[in-house]
Amino acid sequence: MPNAPLILASTSRYRRELLERLRVPFEVESPWVDETPQEREPPAALATRLALAKAQAVAQRHPAAWVIGSDQVADLDGQPLGKPGNHEAAVRQLRSMRGRQVVFQTAVAVVGPGHAQAQTVPVHVRFREASDAEIEHYLRLEQPYDCAGSAKSEGLGISLLEAIVSDDPTALIGLPLIATCRLLREAGYPLWESAR
């Protein structure tokens, strides 16, 4: 189905900017999915479930389209950390992560006619021992309240980190493009033919 539209099931500007790198035409639509974790749901399972749910919600409205869904959950000792939403929650998150390793579980799903597949890409991030003053100053400058883990590695948040280990460098920003390309190819989406 070479003429089937490609839709990003997301309201995230970060994911939209990342998908634009592939130079394929796509639309953006909000999936309107409840992102509440299930009881004792591991962070990787939560990210995968939500990525699929987002793609499937939009695919139900556009059954002939290819739909990409994605979700990211920060995993601190098996406990999920979501988007802080405000300054106070971001301060708590960054204080809890300093000097520790956090695994950012970034899932992507591709859903199309007769097809649904997902992959979760872990990104291991080691936070340095940032002081309370550094955390406060960073949050006032960048205000990353819409980012899981309260730090933007693509911006000043990189100064809070000691190391990032991943097989897919864009996964930490919110959409693992290597995995996305693989899933699109496996689904039969004409990636190269669509790029412009």
Side-chain angles (χ1 to χ4, degrees):
M1 299 180 62
N3 296 322
L6 181 65
I7 303 174
L8 176 63
S10 178
T11 56
S12 165
R13 60 187 168 107
Y14 309 110
R15 291 190 179 109
R16 184 175 62 244
E17 289 168 3
L18 287 169
L19 190 56
E20 285 171 352
R21 294 183 188 183
L22 299 184
R23 301 177 61 155
V24 295
F26 66 93
E27 302 164 26
V28 176
E29 187 167 322
S30 175
W32 303 111
V33 167
D34 179 4
E35 298 188 25
T36 305
Q38 296 174 354
E39 188 175 346
R40 286 182 271 193
E41 185 174 27
L46 172 61
T48 303
R49 178 176 63 80
L50 292 178
L52 268 169
K54 290 174 181 181
Q56 289 167 336
V58 172
Q60 285 180 347
R61 299 191 292 265
H62 304 277
W66 294 104
V67 183
I68 298 170
S70 187
D71 196 77
Q72 183 179 75
V73 179
D75 178 344
L76 180 61
D77 297 331
Q79 296 302 310
L81 299 176
K83 299 171 186 171
N86 60 54
H87 185 82
E88 293 73 25
V91 168
R92 285 193 301 275
Q93 278 192 358
L94 289 175
R95 285 178 177 170
S96 72
M97 295 185 298
R98 61 182 163 197
R100 303 182 66 192
Q101 178 171 278
V102 179
V103 181
F104 287 80
Q105 305 284 359
T106 307
V108 60
V110 171
V111 174
H115 180 89
Q117 193 174 3
Q119 180 180 347
T120 300
V121 177
V123 181
H124 299 266
V125 177
R126 195 167 59 250
F127 282 77
R128 67 178 186 79
E129 287 279 0
S131 68
D132 286 351
E134 287 174 312
I135 289 172
E136 185 68 28
H137 192 68
Y138 166 69
L139 291 174
R140 294 291 177 198
L141 287 173
E142 201 150 69
Q143 301 180 11
Y145 309 133
D146 61 346
C147 297
S150 305
K152 294 182 186 178
S153 65
E154 67 274 26
L156 182 59
I158 199 79
S159 68
L160 301 175
L161 309 181
E162 286 186 348
I164 299 172
V165 179
S166 176
D167 293 334
D168 203 330
T170 57
L172 187 55
I173 304 171
L175 182 65
L177 289 180
I178 293 173
T180 300
C181 290
R182 181 185 308 114
L183 291 178
L184 286 170
R185 285 193 308 270
E186 290 174 359
Y189 179 81
L191 187 62
W192 282 101
E193 296 89 335
S194 301
R196 48 184 172 165

Coordinates of all heavy atoms in Angstrom, one line a residue, residues 103-106 108 119-125 163-173 175-182 185:
V103 N 17.4 3.7 33.6 CA 17.2 3.1 32.3 C 16.0 3.8 31.7 O 14.9 3.7 32.2 CB 17.0 1.6 32.3 CG1 16.9 1.0 30.9 CG2 18.2 1.0 33.0
F104 N 16.1 4.5 30.5 CA 15.0 5.1 29.8 C 14.5 4.0 28.8 O 15.2 3.7 27.9 CB 15.4 6.4 29.2 CG 15.6 7.5 30.1 CD1 16.8 7.6 30.9 CD2 14.6 8.4 30.3 CE1 17.0 8.6 31.8 CE2 14.8 9.5 31.3 CZ 16.0 9.6 32.0
Q105 N 13.3 3.5 29.1 CA 12.7 2.5 28.2 C 11.9 3.3 27.2 O 10.8 3.8 27.5 CB 11.8 1.6 29.0 CG 12.5 0.9 30.2 CD 13.5 -0.2 29.7 OE1 13.6 -0.5 28.6 NE2 14.1 -0.9 30.7
T106 N 12.4 3.3 25.9 CA 11.7 4.0 24.8 C 11.1 2.9 23.9 O 11.9 2.2 23.2 CB 12.6 4.9 24.1 OG1 13.3 5.8 25.1 CG2 11.9 5.8 23.1
V108 N 8.6 1.9 20.5 CA 8.0 2.4 19.3 C 7.2 1.2 18.7 O 7.5 0.0 18.9 CB 9.1 2.8 18.3 CG1 10.0 1.7 17.9 CG2 8.4 3.4 17.0
Q119 N 8.8 -2.5 19.5 CA 10.1 -2.8 20.0 C 10.4 -1.7 21.1 O 10.1 -0.6 20.9 CB 11.1 -2.7 18.9 CG 12.5 -3.0 19.4 CD 13.6 -3.0 18.3 OE1 13.3 -2.9 17.1 NE2 14.8 -2.9 18.7
T120 N 11.0 -2.2 22.2 CA 11.5 -1.3 23.2 C 13.0 -1.2 23.3 O 13.7 -2.2 23.2 CB 10.9 -1.7 24.6 OG1 9.5 -1.7 24.5 CG2 11.4 -0.8 25.7
V121 N 13.5 0.0 23.3 CA 14.9 0.3 23.2 C 15.4 0.8 24.6 O 14.9 1.9 24.9 CB 15.3 1.2 22.1 CG1 16.8 1.5 22.1 CG2 14.9 0.7 20.7
P122 N 16.2 0.1 25.3 CA 16.7 0.7 26.6 C 17.9 1.6 26.4 O 18.7 1.4 25.6 CB 17.1 -0.6 27.4 CG 17.5 -1.5 26.4 CD 16.7 -1.3 25.1
V123 N 17.9 2.7 27.1 CA 19.0 3.7 27.1 C 19.5 3.8 28.6 O 18.7 4.2 29.5 CB 18.6 5.0 26.6 CG1 19.8 6.0 26.6 CG2 18.0 4.9 25.2
H124 N 20.7 3.4 28.8 CA 21.3 3.5 30.2 C 21.9 4.8 30.4 O 22.9 5.2 29.6 CB 22.3 2.3 30.4 CG 21.6 1.0 30.2 ND1 21.1 0.3 31.3 CD2 21.3 0.2 29.1 CE1 20.6 -0.9 30.9 NE2 20.7 -0.9 29.6
V125 N 21.4 5.6 31.4 CA 21.9 6.9 31.6 C 22.5 7.0 33.0 O 21.7 6.7 34.0 CB 20.8 8.0 31.4 CG1 21.3 9.4 31.7 CG2 20.3 7.9 30.0
A163 N 27.2 9.6 31.6 CA 27.3 8.6 30.5 C 25.9 8.3 29.9 O 24.9 8.3 30.7 CB 28.0 7.4 30.9
I164 N 25.9 8.0 28.6 CA 24.7 7.5 28.0 C 25.1 6.3 27.1 O 26.1 6.4 26.3 CB 24.1 8.5 27.0 CG1 23.7 9.8 27.8 CG2 22.9 7.9 26.2 CD1 23.2 10.9 26.9
V165 N 24.5 5.1 27.3 CA 24.8 3.9 26.6 C 23.5 3.4 25.9 O 22.5 3.1 26.6 CB 25.4 2.8 27.5 CG1 25.7 1.6 26.7 CG2 26.6 3.4 28.2
S166 N 23.6 3.4 24.5 CA 22.4 2.9 23.8 C 22.8 2.5 22.4 O 23.8 3.0 21.8 CB 21.4 4.0 23.7 OG 20.3 3.6 22.9
D167 N 22.0 1.5 21.8 CA 22.3 1.1 20.4 C 21.5 2.0 19.5 O 21.6 1.8 18.3 CB 21.8 -0.3 20.3 CG 22.6 -1.3 21.0 OD1 23.8 -1.0 21.3 OD2 22.1 -2.4 21.4
D168 N 20.7 2.9 20.0 CA 19.8 3.8 19.1 C 19.9 5.2 19.7 O 19.2 5.5 20.6 CB 18.4 3.2 19.1 CG 17.6 3.6 17.9 OD1 17.8 4.7 17.4 OD2 16.7 2.8 17.6
P169 N 20.8 6.1 19.1 CA 21.0 7.3 19.8 C 19.8 8.3 19.9 O 19.9 9.1 20.8 CB 22.1 8.0 18.9 CG 22.1 7.2 17.6 CD 21.5 5.9 17.9
T170 N 18.8 8.2 19.1 CA 17.7 9.1 19.2 C 16.6 8.6 20.3 O 15.7 9.3 20.6 CB 17.0 9.3 17.9 OG1 16.6 8.0 17.4 CG2 17.9 10.0 16.9
A171 N 16.8 7.4 20.8 CA 15.9 6.8 21.7 C 15.7 7.7 22.9 O 14.6 7.8 23.4 CB 16.3 5.4 22.1
L172 N 16.8 8.2 23.4 CA 16.7 9.0 24.7 C 15.8 10.3 24.5 O 15.2 10.8 25.4 CB 18.1 9.4 25.2 CG 18.1 10.1 26.6 CD1 17.4 9.2 27.6 CD2 19.6 10.3 27.0
I173 N 15.8 10.8 23.2 CA 15.0 12.0 23.0 C 13.6 11.7 22.8 O 12.7 12.5 23.0 CB 15.6 12.7 21.7 CG1 17.1 13.0 21.9 CG2 14.8 14.0 21.4 CD1 17.7 13.5 20.6
L175 N 12.1 9.0 20.4 CA 11.7 8.1 19.3 C 12.9 7.4 18.7 O 13.8 8.1 18.1 CB 11.0 8.9 18.2 CG 10.5 8.1 17.0 CD1 9.4 7.2 17.4 CD2 10.0 9.0 15.9
P176 N 13.1 6.1 18.9 CA 14.3 5.4 18.4 C 14.2 5.2 16.9 O 13.5 4.3 16.4 CB 14.2 4.1 19.2 CG 12.8 3.9 19.6 CD 12.2 5.2 19.7
L177 N 14.9 6.0 16.2 CA 14.8 6.0 14.7 C 15.3 4.8 14.1 O 14.8 4.3 13.0 CB 15.4 7.3 14.1 CG 14.7 8.6 14.4 CD1 15.5 9.7 13.7 CD2 13.3 8.6 13.9
I178 N 16.3 4.2 14.6 CA 16.8 2.9 14.0 C 15.7 1.9 14.1 O 15.4 1.2 13.1 CB 18.1 2.4 14.7 CG1 19.3 3.4 14.4 CG2 18.5 1.0 14.2 CD1 20.5 3.1 15.2
A179 N 15.1 1.7 15.3 CA 14.0 0.8 15.5 C 12.8 1.1 14.6 O 12.2 0.3 14.1 CB 13.7 0.7 17.0
T180 N 12.5 2.4 14.5 CA 11.4 2.9 13.7 C 11.6 2.5 12.3 O 10.6 1.9 11.7 CB 11.2 4.4 13.9 OG1 11.0 4.7 15.2 CG2 10.0 4.9 13.0
C181 N 12.8 2.7 11.7 CA 13.0 2.4 10.3 C 12.9 0.8 10.1 O 12.3 0.4 9.2 CB 14.4 2.8 9.9 SG 14.6 4.6 9.8
R182 N 13.4 0.1 11.1 CA 13.4 -1.4 11.0 C 11.9 -1.9 11.0 O 11.5 -2.7 10.2 CB 14.1 -2.0 12.2 CG 14.1 -3.6 12.1 CD 14.8 -4.2 13.3 NE 16.1 -3.7 13.6 CZ 16.4 -3.0 14.7 NH1 15.5 -2.7 15.6 NH2 17.7 -2.5 14.8
R185 N 10.2 -1.0 7.7 CA 10.6 -1.9 6.6 C 10.0 -3.3 6.8 O 9.5 -3.8 5.8 CB 12.2 -2.1 6.6 CG 12.9 -0.9 6.1 CD 14.4 -1.3 5.8 NE 15.1 -1.9 7.0 CZ 15.7 -1.2 7.9 NH1 15.8 0.1 7.9 NH2 16.3 -1.8 8.9

